[in-house]
Amino acid sequence: MKINVDGEERKFRSVWFEKDEVVLIEQRNLPEKIEFYRAKNSDDIAYAIKHMVVRGAPAIGVTAAYGLALAKIKGENMEEAVEKIRKTRPTAYDLFKAIDFMKSSGFDIHAAERYSQEVSGRCKKIGEYGNVLIADGSKILTHCNAGALAVVDWGTALAPMRYAKESGKNIFVFVDETRPRLQGAKLTAWELEQEGIDHAIIADNAAGYFMKKGDVNLAIVGADRICANGDFANKIGTYEKAVLAKENGIPFYVAAPGTTFDFNLKTGDEIPIEERDQEEVLVVNGKKIGPENSKARNPAFDVTPNRYVSGYITEYGIFRPDQLGDLKRKVQSDLFMRTTTPTA
């Protein structure tokens, strides 16, 4: 991804391995500061995933892969390291894909590097395929952050937008702020700014207003887990955007690599949904909002039924919900995908 550092444009990945450390862009400090988190052991990796130093299903998977290779290099008990990392985030399927890939590869650092390269390359293909959906002059809605920060490079939902920009198309992106952690306002807007893509941050509850006015041509979001029937989990608030898109006749696409598809789950009812600390809702800029004794609920994700999805943009092409059997066969015939057999 492009990052402007002190007036100089440089290219970074969101996570990489360097001198027996896993280095991550510290996403909790963006966009105010560009800083890096250096993980020296599996405890640091588990903290980074659990506490949102890194987030986004593919990036979580890559971080886990590097973290397990690091644990082996440091001579840690691998069963304990695996279990520690496995327990960090229950919804993101890529986490379990990466863990099982590393187990089958002997926790080798070269395997972790391959996993990272595979994810990045597959997301680049998502950009190539998704670009055909974007016409010159398109106004696109996205929710949360599904850019390079969430993947390692390129992104999922943002990859087609990057390709559209590079191919000379004039596009505009509506960026949902994405409460309570504001990943849209803080991260997606920052990535789009770095890429020179025209955009505006909107309140989460303003999306319907712009859809009804005819200002949105299509919606593209990422995903944390996609079931065999196409139901998918993504950042809380995605479901209502999909319903509004359907109501207003707006195509709604999900962009995700094969590592995010969990064909072991039949429907979205089986997806485990993480509920995070209520303080994320109740505290804003260090100050508590609402009455002193009020409590909050804070599900991190919701599940969108397949009937609201126009198609899934993958590294294998674009598939409608009724074509996911074809996608499953492509995934199962993919040698890289066959090396993972997640059990969670």
Side-chain angles (χ1 to χ4, degrees):
M1 78 182 91
K2 298 176 185 176
I3 299 181
N4 190 294
V5 181
D6 298 327
E8 178 186 354
E9 185 180 285
R10 299 170 60 185
K11 289 191 175 182
F12 286 91
R13 293 194 165 203
S14 63
V15 53
W16 67 93
F17 194 84
E18 179 182 291
K19 297 178 180 177
D20 289 352
E21 294 180 338
V22 180
V23 187
L24 304 101
I25 294 177
E26 173 50 279
Q27 298 190 29
R28 298 174 300 181
N29 293 342
L30 292 172
E32 292 84 4
K33 294 186 291 186
I34 300 172
E35 294 183 334
F36 302 96
Y37 175 96
R38 294 182 176 273
K40 302 179 185 301
N41 52 48
S42 63
D43 285 334
D44 292 345
I45 291 292
Y47 176 90
I49 297 172
K50 182 70 174 177
H51 295 279
M52 309 284 278
V53 173
V54 62
R55 21 71 48 213
I60 287 172
V62 171
T63 302
Y66 279 135
L68 290 171
L70 177 64
K72 182 180 179 182
I73 290 170
K74 297 292 177 117
E76 296 185 34
N77 181 305
M78 292 311 297
E79 288 186 6
E80 292 178 2
V82 165
E83 194 59 23
K84 187 187 309 175
I85 293 171
R86 184 184 291 277
K87 290 180 177 178
T88 52
R89 304 284 310 270
T91 304
Y93 191 53
D94 295 64
L95 172 65
F96 308 109
K97 281 277 201 180
I99 289 172
D100 282 20
F101 177 80
M102 291 302 293
K103 287 172 69 176
S104 69
S105 305
F107 304 108
D108 183 73
I109 183 58
H110 298 294
E113 291 286 8
R114 182 193 171 198
Y115 190 89
S116 177
Q117 292 290 344
E118 285 279 356
V119 168
S120 180
R122 288 163 188 270
C123 289
K124 183 179 180 181
K125 292 295 292 183
I126 287 173
E128 293 176 11
Y129 283 117
N131 181 32
V132 304
L133 300 171
I134 300 175
D136 186 35
S138 287
K139 295 181 179 179
I140 308 162
L141 176 76
T142 193
H143 186 71
C144 196
N145 173 257
L149 289 169
V151 171
V152 175
D153 202 4
W154 288 99
T156 53
L158 264 58
M161 302 176 206
R162 287 193 161 97
Y163 259 88
K165 168 73 174 179
E166 290 180 5
S167 64
K169 296 176 184 176
N170 179 31
I171 64 171
F172 182 88
V173 184
F174 287 100
V175 181
D176 286 342
E177 58 186 345
T178 323
R179 291 185 181 273
R181 295 191 64 95
L182 300 173
Q183 295 102 320
K186 289 177 174 288
L187 305 180
T188 297
W190 179 77
E191 286 198 50
L192 293 173
E193 182 181 58
Q194 300 297 317
E195 296 286 341
I197 298 175
D198 197 13
H199 64 278
I201 300 167
I202 61 173
D204 287 345
N205 53 10
Y209 169 81
F210 290 107
M211 289 187 192
K212 189 172 184 294
K213 282 185 64 183
D215 287 341
V216 178
N217 302 119
L218 76 161
I220 308 177
V221 301
D224 286 81
R225 189 182 297 223
I226 306 173
C227 298
N229 73 336
D231 295 351
F232 75 99
N234 194 47
K235 184 56 57 182
I236 193 73
T238 302
Y239 169 52
E240 61 190 45
K241 304 304 184 298
V243 173
L244 285 168
K246 183 89 167 182
E247 173 66 22
N248 288 278
I250 296 168
F252 186 93
Y253 289 92
V254 180
T259 52
T260 304
F261 284 82
D262 184 354
F263 292 108
N264 297 314
L265 300 187
K266 294 180 180 179
T267 74
D269 293 337
E270 301 174 70
I271 299 177
I273 298 298
E274 174 186 4
E275 184 149 358
R276 296 182 61 83
D277 193 319
Q278 65 175 352
E279 293 300 297
E280 292 183 348
V281 175
L282 295 174
V283 177
V284 177
N285 294 328
K287 182 180 179 180
K288 184 171 182 178
I289 60 173
E292 183 63 31
N293 295 322
S294 290
K295 298 180 180 179
R297 295 292 303 276
N298 186 21
F301 307 94
D302 56 26
V303 174
T304 300
N306 62 11
R307 64 181 178 275
Y308 296 107
V309 179
S310 302
Y312 305 85
I313 311 170
T314 77
E315 68 268 43
Y316 308 99
I318 302 171
F319 298 81
R320 299 187 309 269
D322 63 355
Q323 295 175 317
L324 289 185
D326 296 334
L327 175 61
K328 181 178 180 180
R329 285 187 284 275
K330 288 182 179 293
V331 170
Q332 290 177 334
S333 65
D334 186 328
L335 180 60
F336 172 71
M337 292 296 178
R338 289 208 307 269
T339 58
T340 61
T341 311
T343 55

